[in-house]
């Protein structure tokens, strides 16, 4: 969730598929290959106030289909690059400051279907095993007093439990709403040596915010169980943090029509991930019960580094064709203790290593002048799945196109992007319940304007 990036920013960048590492002279590219700042010849301001997301999630659970549509908007870019004349063969120097959105979490979906014999009572029972009644967790107390789990033995020292409604036909439903973003504040420096070598560095400061509201329900709508009519688990998870990373890049242009380069992104260090979970559990039946609590927790997170390669073919100042390659190993993500907390996260970090793998991303794009001032752009990107052994799928396919108007001092760009992916979602422990097969389709409309000074 927090290690992945889906590079956002200006409409020009998005319209050409994000393949701007070797093209340069666009503020969004400072978050991919910082050497692209070396292509700025004038001071430039860009602002992207329009980033509209229309998202469709199609969910299939036990052969019952539930579609969901949501709408959200945000600002995805604001930045300025200062360019000045250099000395000798250092023809230009540049400094840029602003932000690019590198991840957006806005989404919602709902799922409803028959249980096929599963129940969250299985998860409650497993978590409660090993504890006598007086030492059950909040969830254990809730499940026990609501008749969702039963003691295996009717003795005072019983510490084993079984789900009361395993095998019964219940109605299960869930709704999930997520919001938030990662906006990366960038401080970029670069230079142009003899119009052949371009170098740059970006200090990235990502600001992370994430909120998830999740409501799960099991209902005995066919009167097949005793004591319980329904129960709800309502969660609100809020996560916030600020990180830091360093990006280094280089571009080389051996001939007028060809430019290629590379970039390295250090891991991003989030020193204080702050999680707040608010949980409410409500049951209706022989016993009406409401148990609520809040957990507040701090830890550190280190997301993996990235390596990129870029190439661009320049078409006589009338356009370009470009490609970017990006490599990321998600098994290198790492959680750790923070402050006075001494928990080592050994099991969690082993699960990361055992569950995730390297991904490969290819972005291709192009731009062409239709007239003196009007341009057309198009692009495509593919990212392989970060999961090992078909645990899940999270590969991404993205297509885009855009239009732009450019004069000597002003520009305006618009873009459309289409993104699709598939994944499985589980109500609780995957060993206890069938997956929800989900297809995600997102439509983005983006608008940018700016000035060259």
């Amino acid at each position: 969730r927090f290690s992945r990036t889906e590079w956002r920013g200006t409409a020009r960048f998005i319209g050409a598929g994000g393949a701007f590492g070797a093209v340069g002279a666009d503020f969004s590219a400072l978050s991919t290959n910082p050497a692209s700042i070396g292509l700025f010849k004038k001071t430039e301001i860009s602002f992207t106030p329009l980033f509209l997301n229309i998202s469709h999630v199609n969910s299939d659970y036990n052969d019952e289909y539930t579609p969901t549509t949501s709408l959200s908007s945000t600002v995805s870019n604001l930045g300025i690059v200062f360019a000045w004349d250099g000395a000798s063969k250092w023809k230009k120097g540049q400094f840029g400051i602003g932000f690019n959105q590198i991840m957006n979490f806005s989404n919602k979906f709902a799922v409803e279907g028959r249980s096929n014999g599963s129940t969250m009572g299985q998860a409650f029972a497993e978590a409660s095993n090993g504890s006598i009644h007086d030492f059950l967790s909040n969830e254990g107390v809730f499940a026990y007093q609501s008749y969702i789990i039963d003691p295996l033995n009717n003795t005072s020292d019983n510490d084993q439990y079984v789900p009361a409604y395993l095998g019964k036909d219940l109605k299960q439903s869930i709704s999930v709403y997520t919001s938030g973003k990662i906006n990366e504040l960038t401080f970029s420096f670069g230079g142009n040596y003899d119009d052949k070598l371009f170098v740059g560095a970006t200090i990235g400061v990502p600001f992370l915010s994430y909120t998830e509201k999740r409501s799960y329900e099991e209902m005995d709508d066919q009167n097949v169980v005793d004591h319980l009519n329904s129960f709800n688990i309502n969660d609100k998870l809020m996560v916030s943090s600020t990180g830091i990373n360093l990006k280094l890049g280089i571009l080389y242009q051996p001939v007028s029509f060809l430019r290629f380069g590379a970039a390295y992104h250090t891991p991003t260090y989030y020193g204080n991930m702050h999680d707040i979970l608010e949980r409410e559990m409500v049951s209706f039946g022989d016993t009406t019960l409401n148990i609520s609590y809040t957990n507040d927790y701090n830890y550190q997170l280190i997301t993996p580094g990235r390596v990129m390669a870029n190439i661009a073919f320049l078409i006589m100042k009338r356009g370009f064709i470009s490609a970017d390659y990006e490599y990321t190993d998600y098994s290198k993500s790492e959680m750790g203790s923070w402050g006075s907390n001494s928990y080592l996260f050994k099991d969690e970090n082993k699960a990361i290593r055992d569950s995730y793998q390297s991904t490969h991303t290819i972005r291709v794009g192009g731009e062409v002048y239709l007239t003196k001032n009007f341009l057309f752009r198009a692009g495509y990107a593919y990212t392989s799945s970060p999961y090992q052994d078909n645990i899940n799928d999270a590969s991404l396919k993205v297509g885009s196109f855009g239009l732009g108007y450019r004069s000597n001092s002003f520009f305006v760009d618009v873009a459309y992007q289409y993104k699709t992916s598939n994944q499985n979602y589980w109500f609780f422990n995957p060993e206890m319940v069938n997956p929800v097969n989900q297809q995600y389709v997102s439509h983005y409309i983006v608008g940018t304007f700016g000035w060259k000074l």
Side-chain angles (χ1 to χ4, degrees):
R1 178 183 296 151
F2 303 131
S3 297
R4 198 166 204 173
T5 55
E6 295 177 16
W7 307 108
R8 307 297 188 193
T10 68
R12 185 186 184 208
F13 180 88
I14 291 171
F20 258 83
V23 177
D26 187 276
F27 192 88
S28 294
L30 307 188
S31 288
T32 56
N33 188 334
S36 62
I37 196 174
L39 277 299
F40 281 93
K41 299 185 183 301
K42 295 182 178 181
T43 295
E44 184 173 305
I45 301 171
S46 64
F47 180 44
T48 309
L50 174 64
F51 189 90
L52 182 65
N53 175 16
I54 305 169
S55 178
H56 303 281
V57 183
N58 300 318
S59 302
D60 184 359
Y61 176 60
N62 290 339
D63 296 323
E64 294 199 38
Y65 172 78
T66 309
T68 312
T69 300
S70 60
L71 178 68
S72 64
S73 64
T74 186
V75 174
S76 65
N77 152 264
L78 174 62
I80 182 170
V81 173
F82 300 94
W84 59 87
D85 292 334
S88 185
K89 288 191 175 183
W90 284 100
K91 295 192 173 184
K92 288 286 183 180
Q94 298 90 4
F95 169 69
I97 183 171
F99 82 89
N100 291 312
Q101 188 169 112
I102 63 175
M103 196 67 187
N104 190 296
F105 300 114
S106 294
N107 197 19
K108 75 173 182 179
F109 64 85
V111 184
E112 184 175 293
R114 309 307 305 179
S115 67
N116 277 5
S118 69
T119 170
M120 190 176 277
Q122 298 164 263
F124 286 141
E126 183 179 86
S128 299
N129 285 337
S131 299
I132 64 174
H133 175 267
D134 291 341
F135 295 98
L136 288 174
S137 66
N138 286 318
E139 285 75 11
V141 170
F142 172 78
Y144 188 91
Q145 294 186 1
S146 299
Y147 300 98
I148 300 170
I149 62 174
D150 292 329
L152 182 62
N153 304 298
N154 289 316
T155 60
S156 60
D157 61 350
N158 174 78
D159 65 354
Q160 297 296 308
Y161 303 87
V162 293
Y165 310 122
L166 185 63
K168 302 294 185 179
D169 185 24
L170 305 173
K171 178 182 175 182
Q172 293 173 319
S173 63
I174 195 170
S175 63
V176 178
Y177 170 78
T178 60
S179 62
K181 61 186 78 71
I182 302 178
N183 283 339
E184 184 174 66
L185 180 62
T186 62
F187 302 91
S188 300
F189 309 84
N192 170 354
Y193 184 81
D194 200 26
D195 287 332
K196 288 186 176 295
L197 180 67
F198 308 88
V199 294
T202 292
I203 298 173
V205 182
F207 293 88
L208 183 158
S209 64
Y210 176 81
T211 298
E212 178 179 318
K213 297 178 181 178
R214 180 181 187 268
S215 181
Y216 173 82
E217 180 181 46
E218 284 187 15
M219 177 184 295
D220 178 25
D221 59 335
Q222 297 181 350
N223 296 318
V224 295
V225 303
D226 298 325
H227 308 301
L228 183 73
N229 296 326
S230 66
F231 71 88
N232 296 76
I233 310 294
N234 302 312
D235 289 339
K236 182 179 181 181
L237 172 66
M238 295 167 284
V239 185
S240 61
S241 187
T242 301
I244 191 166
N245 59 58
L246 175 66
K247 304 177 178 72
L248 302 172
I250 187 170
L251 292 172
Y252 182 64
Q253 186 168 342
V255 291
S256 61
F257 61 86
L258 176 64
R259 189 183 299 136
F260 57 88
Y264 171 69
H265 298 190
T266 69
T268 296
Y269 175 74
Y270 291 101
N272 183 7
M273 295 285 288
H274 185 198
D275 284 17
I276 300 174
L277 173 65
E278 299 174 353
R279 170 163 288 185
E280 178 189 47
M281 300 175 287
V282 185
S283 65
F284 303 94
D286 289 0
T287 299
T288 298
L289 189 64
N290 187 314
I291 295 179
S292 300
Y293 67 88
T294 299
N295 278 348
D296 194 319
Y297 197 76
N298 297 79
Y299 59 100
Q300 74 173 14
L301 174 66
I302 301 175
T303 68
R306 303 173 193 278
V307 177
M308 297 185 182
N310 327 102
I311 189 169
F313 297 93
L314 312 173
I315 309 171
M316 300 175 62
K317 297 185 178 181
R318 301 299 302 170
F320 65 81
I321 298 173
S322 61
D324 287 1
Y325 167 77
E326 178 179 328
Y327 171 87
T328 310
D329 185 355
Y330 287 95
S331 70
K332 301 298 184 182
S333 299
E334 182 180 309
M335 303 172 70
S337 61
W338 173 257
S340 60
N341 174 21
S342 60
Y343 184 69
L344 297 178
F345 289 92
K346 291 178 63 177
D347 292 339
E348 289 79 6
N349 288 328
K350 183 179 185 302
I352 289 171
R353 293 190 297 271
D354 292 344
S355 302
Y356 295 97
Q357 64 181 358
S358 302
T359 64
H360 308 275
T361 298
I362 296 291
R363 295 185 290 269
V364 294
E367 176 183 89
V368 61
Y369 274 88
L370 301 176
T371 66
K372 179 181 177 181
N373 300 107
F374 288 93
L375 305 94
F376 174 78
R377 308 177 182 104
Y380 178 80
Y382 172 77
T383 301
S384 60
S385 176
Y387 292 102
Q388 293 185 31
D389 303 325
N390 297 316
I391 292 173
N392 205 336
D393 187 17
S395 59
L396 295 176
K397 302 178 182 69
V398 182
S400 59
F401 67 87
L403 298 171
Y405 170 84
R406 298 197 161 240
S407 68
N408 290 331
S409 59
F410 177 76
F411 60 89
V412 59
D413 301 299
V414 294
Y416 166 78
Q417 186 183 75
Y418 175 88
K419 182 182 76 173
T420 182
S421 64
N422 297 288
Q423 72 171 25
N424 290 333
Y425 181 88
W426 287 268
F427 291 155
F428 44 91
N429 191 323
E431 297 178 359
M432 302 173 179
V433 65
N434 289 333
V436 181
N437 300 309
Q438 294 185 313
Q439 180 189 39
Y440 287 80
V441 176
S442 295
H443 306 268
Y444 301 95
I445 300 172
V446 189
T448 299
F449 62 89
W451 299 266
K452 295 183 178 182
L453 307 178

